[in-house]
Amino acid sequence: MSFNVFSGNLRHIFKHHRTTNFRNKEENATFELLKSSILVAFSGALRIHIAFLLLHIQSSIQTCIAGGLIIYTVYTIDRALESEEDTVNRTELRGSNKKVGLAVSLLAFMIGTYILAKEGIPALAFVPLITGYLYSKGIKIGKFALKLKGGLGMKNIIVGLTWGIFITGLAGSRCGNLTPVVLVFIFFGVKLFINSAIYDFKDIKGDTLAGIKTLPVSLGIQKTRNLLSAMHLLCHLALGIALIHGILAFEPLIIIYSFICGLICIQSLTAPEDEKHSSQKLERTVLVDGESASIVGLRMITGALIA
């Protein structure tokens, strides 16, 4: 009898231990899910501020915050919905509580949309949200099906167009001249196309498994590098000419830093899998997600020194 009691207690202890471990893993994964998009949202908010600067328009802190919240929403929802390639590319999110992620995303979206409604541009909040859903999950009505994921470079094109429209739309909604707005759209559209392609280099294994034809998967490493370098050079050449002719605000630091940083990213963050080193994650964070923060910080420092 005493042995049965001991055995039952032992089973109860092991069961409790397994339950506790499961809860801890779920909590950690959920925390990773919630914080995984904070940096990209902060970077996006600063990009909106930079767009204001290039358009020579007084920057709106509220608009930048709202934009950051919308960006956080879209990226967190995408990760919460869990695509096939994420099982390989984002193993740290496995087992997270998706309902918590979706609830926090909805709250962020509501706050961001409310702020944009006060600014008179609430419709822009839905552009990345709808596009993101069509990309991740798509829609199917009867025989009609629409999903944006899959085609050659489609992911990069969607990222560039969506966020280019969103950032430029928020900053340039009150700009009376269309030419600088188009140039700023090209700048951020190309930059975000390139950044998304750079991130594809670290996700080659998962994208190949899911059948997603990203540029590195389809074109190979060197051809993708050449394409990104050509886009980068032409984009910054156009921006430099626009600065010289006064079409955009005279912000040479933004263009020069972006140009140098982009070249470094294309050359150093697109190495083959067997050539990657442990510090590359930090480099990617600083040079890609941290670029806008570096630009704003350097601009503030140089402005203070000149003054």
PDB file of all heavy atoms in Angstrom, residues 75-100:
ATOM      1  N   TYR A  75       3.858  42.723 -38.616  1.00  0.00           N
ATOM      2  CA  TYR A  75       4.919  41.728 -38.471  1.00  0.00           C
ATOM      3  C   TYR A  75       4.585  40.701 -37.386  1.00  0.00           C
ATOM      4  O   TYR A  75       4.913  39.512 -37.531  1.00  0.00           O
ATOM      5  CB  TYR A  75       6.252  42.414 -38.182  1.00  0.00           C
ATOM      6  CG  TYR A  75       6.942  42.897 -39.433  1.00  0.00           C
ATOM      7  CD1 TYR A  75       6.696  44.163 -39.945  1.00  0.00           C
ATOM      8  CD2 TYR A  75       7.825  42.078 -40.135  1.00  0.00           C
ATOM      9  CE1 TYR A  75       7.308  44.609 -41.106  1.00  0.00           C
ATOM     10  CE2 TYR A  75       8.446  42.509 -41.299  1.00  0.00           C
ATOM     11  CZ  TYR A  75       8.178  43.775 -41.774  1.00  0.00           C
ATOM     12  OH  TYR A  75       8.779  44.189 -42.925  1.00  0.00           O
ATOM     13  N   THR A  76       3.946  41.143 -36.299  1.00  0.00           N
ATOM     14  CA  THR A  76       3.594  40.203 -35.228  1.00  0.00           C
ATOM     15  C   THR A  76       2.494  39.252 -35.677  1.00  0.00           C
ATOM     16  O   THR A  76       2.538  38.052 -35.382  1.00  0.00           O
ATOM     17  CB  THR A  76       3.155  40.963 -33.963  1.00  0.00           C
ATOM     18  OG1 THR A  76       4.189  41.866 -33.566  1.00  0.00           O
ATOM     19  CG2 THR A  76       2.883  39.994 -32.815  1.00  0.00           C
ATOM     20  N   ILE A  77       1.509  39.766 -36.414  1.00  0.00           N
ATOM     21  CA  ILE A  77       0.449  38.901 -36.940  1.00  0.00           C
ATOM     22  C   ILE A  77       1.039  37.865 -37.897  1.00  0.00           C
ATOM     23  O   ILE A  77       0.680  36.689 -37.851  1.00  0.00           O
ATOM     24  CB  ILE A  77      -0.638  39.741 -37.656  1.00  0.00           C
ATOM     25  CG1 ILE A  77      -1.498  40.473 -36.625  1.00  0.00           C
ATOM     26  CG2 ILE A  77      -1.529  38.852 -38.530  1.00  0.00           C
ATOM     27  CD1 ILE A  77      -2.544  41.386 -37.225  1.00  0.00           C
ATOM     28  N   ASP A  78       1.947  38.308 -38.751  1.00  0.00           N
ATOM     29  CA  ASP A  78       2.575  37.389 -39.705  1.00  0.00           C
ATOM     30  C   ASP A  78       3.279  36.247 -38.975  1.00  0.00           C
ATOM     31  O   ASP A  78       3.189  35.083 -39.380  1.00  0.00           O
ATOM     32  CB  ASP A  78       3.577  38.163 -40.578  1.00  0.00           C
ATOM     33  CG  ASP A  78       4.283  37.251 -41.575  1.00  0.00           C
ATOM     34  OD1 ASP A  78       3.593  36.655 -42.417  1.00  0.00           O
ATOM     35  OD2 ASP A  78       5.518  37.139 -41.502  1.00  0.00           O
ATOM     36  N   ARG A  79       3.964  36.582 -37.874  1.00  0.00           N
ATOM     37  CA  ARG A  79       4.678  35.557 -37.116  1.00  0.00           C
ATOM     38  C   ARG A  79       3.724  34.702 -36.284  1.00  0.00           C
ATOM     39  O   ARG A  79       3.974  33.509 -36.072  1.00  0.00           O
ATOM     40  CB  ARG A  79       5.734  36.213 -36.238  1.00  0.00           C
ATOM     41  CG  ARG A  79       6.913  36.711 -37.068  1.00  0.00           C
ATOM     42  CD  ARG A  79       7.737  37.768 -36.402  1.00  0.00           C
ATOM     43  NE  ARG A  79       8.737  38.279 -37.346  1.00  0.00           N
ATOM     44  CZ  ARG A  79       9.514  39.314 -37.123  1.00  0.00           C
ATOM     45  NH1 ARG A  79       9.421  39.970 -35.981  1.00  0.00           N
ATOM     46  NH2 ARG A  79      10.380  39.710 -38.035  1.00  0.00           N
ATOM     47  N   ALA A  80       2.619  35.302 -35.822  1.00  0.00           N
ATOM     48  CA  ALA A  80       1.648  34.546 -35.035  1.00  0.00           C
ATOM     49  C   ALA A  80       0.871  33.554 -35.898  1.00  0.00           C
ATOM     50  O   ALA A  80       0.525  32.467 -35.441  1.00  0.00           O
ATOM     51  CB  ALA A  80       0.675  35.504 -34.343  1.00  0.00           C
ATOM     52  N   LEU A  81       0.616  33.932 -37.164  1.00  0.00           N
ATOM     53  CA  LEU A  81      -0.121  33.032 -38.064  1.00  0.00           C
ATOM     54  C   LEU A  81       0.709  31.826 -38.468  1.00  0.00           C
ATOM     55  O   LEU A  81       0.164  30.826 -38.934  1.00  0.00           O
ATOM     56  CB  LEU A  81      -0.584  33.800 -39.311  1.00  0.00           C
ATOM     57  CG  LEU A  81      -1.684  34.830 -39.079  1.00  0.00           C
ATOM     58  CD1 LEU A  81      -1.997  35.587 -40.353  1.00  0.00           C
ATOM     59  CD2 LEU A  81      -2.943  34.181 -38.523  1.00  0.00           C
ATOM     60  N   GLU A  82       2.013  31.935 -38.344  1.00  0.00           N
ATOM     61  CA  GLU A  82       2.942  30.810 -38.511  1.00  0.00           C
ATOM     62  C   GLU A  82       2.899  30.204 -39.907  1.00  0.00           C
ATOM     63  O   GLU A  82       1.998  29.447 -40.251  1.00  0.00           O
ATOM     64  CB  GLU A  82       2.649  29.712 -37.477  1.00  0.00           C
ATOM     65  CG  GLU A  82       3.846  28.844 -37.160  1.00  0.00           C
ATOM     66  CD  GLU A  82       3.568  27.902 -36.007  1.00  0.00           C
ATOM     67  OE1 GLU A  82       2.497  27.273 -36.023  1.00  0.00           O
ATOM     68  OE2 GLU A  82       4.391  27.813 -35.096  1.00  0.00           O
ATOM     69  N   SER A  83       3.859  30.542 -40.716  1.00  0.00           N
ATOM     70  CA  SER A  83       3.971  29.963 -42.051  1.00  0.00           C
ATOM     71  C   SER A  83       4.911  28.758 -42.015  1.00  0.00           C
ATOM     72  O   SER A  83       5.644  28.552 -41.045  1.00  0.00           O
ATOM     73  CB  SER A  83       4.505  31.011 -43.036  1.00  0.00           C
ATOM     74  OG  SER A  83       5.719  31.566 -42.575  1.00  0.00           O
ATOM     75  N   GLU A  84       4.902  27.984 -43.087  1.00  0.00           N
ATOM     76  CA  GLU A  84       5.684  26.734 -43.126  1.00  0.00           C
ATOM     77  C   GLU A  84       7.173  26.978 -42.959  1.00  0.00           C
ATOM     78  O   GLU A  84       7.863  26.254 -42.253  1.00  0.00           O
ATOM     79  CB  GLU A  84       5.422  26.015 -44.459  1.00  0.00           C
ATOM     80  CG  GLU A  84       6.075  24.649 -44.557  1.00  0.00           C
ATOM     81  CD  GLU A  84       5.802  23.972 -45.895  1.00  0.00           C
ATOM     82  OE1 GLU A  84       4.959  24.471 -46.654  1.00  0.00           O
ATOM     83  OE2 GLU A  84       6.452  22.951 -46.167  1.00  0.00           O
ATOM     84  N   GLU A  85       7.671  28.059 -43.602  1.00  0.00           N
ATOM     85  CA  GLU A  85       9.109  28.323 -43.529  1.00  0.00           C
ATOM     86  C   GLU A  85       9.560  28.750 -42.136  1.00  0.00           C
ATOM     87  O   GLU A  85      10.727  28.609 -41.774  1.00  0.00           O
ATOM     88  CB  GLU A  85       9.527  29.395 -44.553  1.00  0.00           C
ATOM     89  CG  GLU A  85       8.987  30.790 -44.295  1.00  0.00           C
ATOM     90  CD  GLU A  85       7.637  31.028 -44.946  1.00  0.00           C
ATOM     91  OE1 GLU A  85       6.949  30.038 -45.265  1.00  0.00           O
ATOM     92  OE2 GLU A  85       7.253  32.201 -45.111  1.00  0.00           O
ATOM     93  N   ASP A  86       8.613  29.282 -41.310  1.00  0.00           N
ATOM     94  CA  ASP A  86       8.975  29.725 -39.968  1.00  0.00           C
ATOM     95  C   ASP A  86       9.312  28.576 -39.038  1.00  0.00           C
ATOM     96  O   ASP A  86       9.953  28.765 -38.011  1.00  0.00           O
ATOM     97  CB  ASP A  86       7.835  30.571 -39.361  1.00  0.00           C
ATOM     98  CG  ASP A  86       7.771  31.964 -39.957  1.00  0.00           C
ATOM     99  OD1 ASP A  86       8.785  32.396 -40.534  1.00  0.00           O
ATOM    100  OD2 ASP A  86       6.720  32.620 -39.854  1.00  0.00           O
ATOM    101  N   THR A  87       8.859  27.366 -39.372  1.00  0.00           N
ATOM    102  CA  THR A  87       9.213  26.212 -38.549  1.00  0.00           C
ATOM    103  C   THR A  87      10.707  25.951 -38.575  1.00  0.00           C
ATOM    104  O   THR A  87      11.263  25.333 -37.665  1.00  0.00           O
ATOM    105  CB  THR A  87       8.473  24.948 -39.034  1.00  0.00           C
ATOM    106  OG1 THR A  87       8.829  24.703 -40.404  1.00  0.00           O
ATOM    107  CG2 THR A  87       6.970  25.132 -38.930  1.00  0.00           C
ATOM    108  N   VAL A  88      11.379  26.433 -39.638  1.00  0.00           N
ATOM    109  CA  VAL A  88      12.831  26.310 -39.753  1.00  0.00           C
ATOM    110  C   VAL A  88      13.515  27.627 -39.417  1.00  0.00           C
ATOM    111  O   VAL A  88      14.507  27.669 -38.683  1.00  0.00           O
ATOM    112  CB  VAL A  88      13.229  25.869 -41.187  1.00  0.00           C
ATOM    113  CG1 VAL A  88      14.754  25.829 -41.328  1.00  0.00           C
ATOM    114  CG2 VAL A  88      12.630  24.510 -41.514  1.00  0.00           C
ATOM    115  N   ASN A  89      12.963  28.743 -39.939  1.00  0.00           N
ATOM    116  CA  ASN A  89      13.615  30.044 -39.805  1.00  0.00           C
ATOM    117  C   ASN A  89      13.455  30.666 -38.426  1.00  0.00           C
ATOM    118  O   ASN A  89      14.303  31.450 -37.993  1.00  0.00           O
ATOM    119  CB  ASN A  89      13.062  31.015 -40.862  1.00  0.00           C
ATOM    120  CG  ASN A  89      13.366  30.558 -42.275  1.00  0.00           C
ATOM    121  OD1 ASN A  89      14.306  29.812 -42.505  1.00  0.00           O
ATOM    122  ND2 ASN A  89      12.559  31.010 -43.234  1.00  0.00           N
ATOM    123  N   ARG A  90      12.362  30.331 -37.710  1.00  0.00           N
ATOM    124  CA  ARG A  90      12.096  30.958 -36.411  1.00  0.00           C
ATOM    125  C   ARG A  90      11.701  29.902 -35.379  1.00  0.00           C
ATOM    126  O   ARG A  90      10.578  29.884 -34.878  1.00  0.00           O
ATOM    127  CB  ARG A  90      10.985  32.012 -36.545  1.00  0.00           C
ATOM    128  CG  ARG A  90      11.381  33.175 -37.440  1.00  0.00           C
ATOM    129  CD  ARG A  90      10.369  34.308 -37.397  1.00  0.00           C
ATOM    130  NE  ARG A  90      10.841  35.423 -38.186  1.00  0.00           N
ATOM    131  CZ  ARG A  90      11.679  36.360 -37.776  1.00  0.00           C
ATOM    132  NH1 ARG A  90      12.142  36.305 -36.541  1.00  0.00           N
ATOM    133  NH2 ARG A  90      12.061  37.338 -38.562  1.00  0.00           N
ATOM    134  N   THR A  91      12.628  29.051 -35.065  1.00  0.00           N
ATOM    135  CA  THR A  91      12.348  27.968 -34.123  1.00  0.00           C
ATOM    136  C   THR A  91      12.080  28.487 -32.713  1.00  0.00           C
ATOM    137  O   THR A  91      11.413  27.820 -31.921  1.00  0.00           O
ATOM    138  CB  THR A  91      13.542  26.987 -34.069  1.00  0.00           C
ATOM    139  OG1 THR A  91      14.749  27.721 -33.777  1.00  0.00           O
ATOM    140  CG2 THR A  91      13.725  26.286 -35.407  1.00  0.00           C
ATOM    141  N   GLU A  92      12.580  29.696 -32.392  1.00  0.00           N
ATOM    142  CA  GLU A  92      12.385  30.241 -31.047  1.00  0.00           C
ATOM    143  C   GLU A  92      10.931  30.606 -30.756  1.00  0.00           C
ATOM    144  O   GLU A  92      10.541  30.778 -29.600  1.00  0.00           O
ATOM    145  CB  GLU A  92      13.275  31.475 -30.826  1.00  0.00           C
ATOM    146  CG  GLU A  92      12.862  32.737 -31.577  1.00  0.00           C
ATOM    147  CD  GLU A  92      13.370  32.776 -33.010  1.00  0.00           C
ATOM    148  OE1 GLU A  92      13.944  31.773 -33.468  1.00  0.00           O
ATOM    149  OE2 GLU A  92      13.181  33.825 -33.662  1.00  0.00           O
ATOM    150  N   LEU A  93      10.097  30.715 -31.814  1.00  0.00           N
ATOM    151  CA  LEU A  93       8.686  31.068 -31.639  1.00  0.00           C
ATOM    152  C   LEU A  93       7.793  29.835 -31.520  1.00  0.00           C
ATOM    153  O   LEU A  93       6.596  29.968 -31.274  1.00  0.00           O
ATOM    154  CB  LEU A  93       8.199  31.930 -32.816  1.00  0.00           C
ATOM    155  CG  LEU A  93       8.968  33.222 -33.101  1.00  0.00           C
ATOM    156  CD1 LEU A  93       8.298  33.996 -34.226  1.00  0.00           C
ATOM    157  CD2 LEU A  93       9.075  34.092 -31.859  1.00  0.00           C
ATOM    158  N   ARG A  94       8.378  28.658 -31.690  1.00  0.00           N
ATOM    159  CA  ARG A  94       7.601  27.417 -31.641  1.00  0.00           C
ATOM    160  C   ARG A  94       6.991  27.217 -30.260  1.00  0.00           C
ATOM    161  O   ARG A  94       7.682  27.298 -29.244  1.00  0.00           O
ATOM    162  CB  ARG A  94       8.505  26.245 -32.009  1.00  0.00           C
ATOM    163  CG  ARG A  94       7.764  24.959 -32.377  1.00  0.00           C
ATOM    164  CD  ARG A  94       8.754  23.878 -32.760  1.00  0.00           C
ATOM    165  NE  ARG A  94       9.535  24.258 -33.941  1.00  0.00           N
ATOM    166  CZ  ARG A  94      10.688  23.699 -34.271  1.00  0.00           C
ATOM    167  NH1 ARG A  94      11.218  22.767 -33.499  1.00  0.00           N
ATOM    168  NH2 ARG A  94      11.329  24.091 -35.362  1.00  0.00           N
ATOM    169  N   GLY A  95       5.677  26.994 -30.219  1.00  0.00           N
ATOM    170  CA  GLY A  95       4.999  26.771 -28.951  1.00  0.00           C
ATOM    171  C   GLY A  95       4.469  28.028 -28.300  1.00  0.00           C
ATOM    172  O   GLY A  95       3.924  27.987 -27.194  1.00  0.00           O
ATOM    173  N   SER A  96       4.598  29.182 -28.974  1.00  0.00           N
ATOM    174  CA  SER A  96       4.103  30.435 -28.399  1.00  0.00           C
ATOM    175  C   SER A  96       2.577  30.479 -28.439  1.00  0.00           C
ATOM    176  O   SER A  96       1.937  29.799 -29.246  1.00  0.00           O
ATOM    177  CB  SER A  96       4.669  31.628 -29.167  1.00  0.00           C
ATOM    178  OG  SER A  96       4.299  31.584 -30.528  1.00  0.00           O
ATOM    179  N   ASN A  97       1.999  31.291 -27.572  1.00  0.00           N
ATOM    180  CA  ASN A  97       0.544  31.454 -27.509  1.00  0.00           C
ATOM    181  C   ASN A  97       0.119  32.453 -28.579  1.00  0.00           C
ATOM    182  O   ASN A  97       0.268  33.667 -28.410  1.00  0.00           O
ATOM    183  CB  ASN A  97       0.130  31.933 -26.115  1.00  0.00           C
ATOM    184  CG  ASN A  97      -1.372  31.881 -25.909  1.00  0.00           C
ATOM    185  OD1 ASN A  97      -2.152  32.164 -26.822  1.00  0.00           O
ATOM    186  ND2 ASN A  97      -1.788  31.534 -24.706  1.00  0.00           N
ATOM    187  N   LYS A  98      -0.407  31.948 -29.682  1.00  0.00           N
ATOM    188  CA  LYS A  98      -0.749  32.802 -30.816  1.00  0.00           C
ATOM    189  C   LYS A  98      -1.877  33.774 -30.477  1.00  0.00           C
ATOM    190  O   LYS A  98      -1.916  34.889 -30.998  1.00  0.00           O
ATOM    191  CB  LYS A  98      -1.159  31.945 -32.027  1.00  0.00           C
ATOM    192  CG  LYS A  98      -0.197  30.819 -32.359  1.00  0.00           C
ATOM    193  CD  LYS A  98       1.217  31.320 -32.621  1.00  0.00           C
ATOM    194  CE  LYS A  98       2.154  30.165 -32.931  1.00  0.00           C
ATOM    195  NZ  LYS A  98       3.558  30.592 -33.045  1.00  0.00           N
ATOM    196  N   LYS A  99      -2.791  33.353 -29.610  1.00  0.00           N
ATOM    197  CA  LYS A  99      -3.920  34.219 -29.246  1.00  0.00           C
ATOM    198  C   LYS A  99      -3.436  35.482 -28.548  1.00  0.00           C
ATOM    199  O   LYS A  99      -3.972  36.569 -28.770  1.00  0.00           O
ATOM    200  CB  LYS A  99      -4.900  33.460 -28.342  1.00  0.00           C
ATOM    201  CG  LYS A  99      -5.647  32.348 -29.049  1.00  0.00           C
ATOM    202  CD  LYS A  99      -6.613  31.646 -28.120  1.00  0.00           C
ATOM    203  CE  LYS A  99      -7.362  30.533 -28.851  1.00  0.00           C
ATOM    204  NZ  LYS A  99      -8.305  29.819 -27.940  1.00  0.00           N
ATOM    205  N   VAL A 100      -2.412  35.338 -27.709  1.00  0.00           N
ATOM    206  CA  VAL A 100      -1.848  36.511 -27.029  1.00  0.00           C
ATOM    207  C   VAL A 100      -1.212  37.444 -28.051  1.00  0.00           C
ATOM    208  O   VAL A 100      -1.400  38.667 -28.009  1.00  0.00           O
ATOM    209  CB  VAL A 100      -0.801  36.077 -25.973  1.00  0.00           C
ATOM    210  CG1 VAL A 100      -0.087  37.297 -25.389  1.00  0.00           C
ATOM    211  CG2 VAL A 100      -1.473  35.284 -24.858  1.00  0.00           C
TER     212      VAL A 100
END
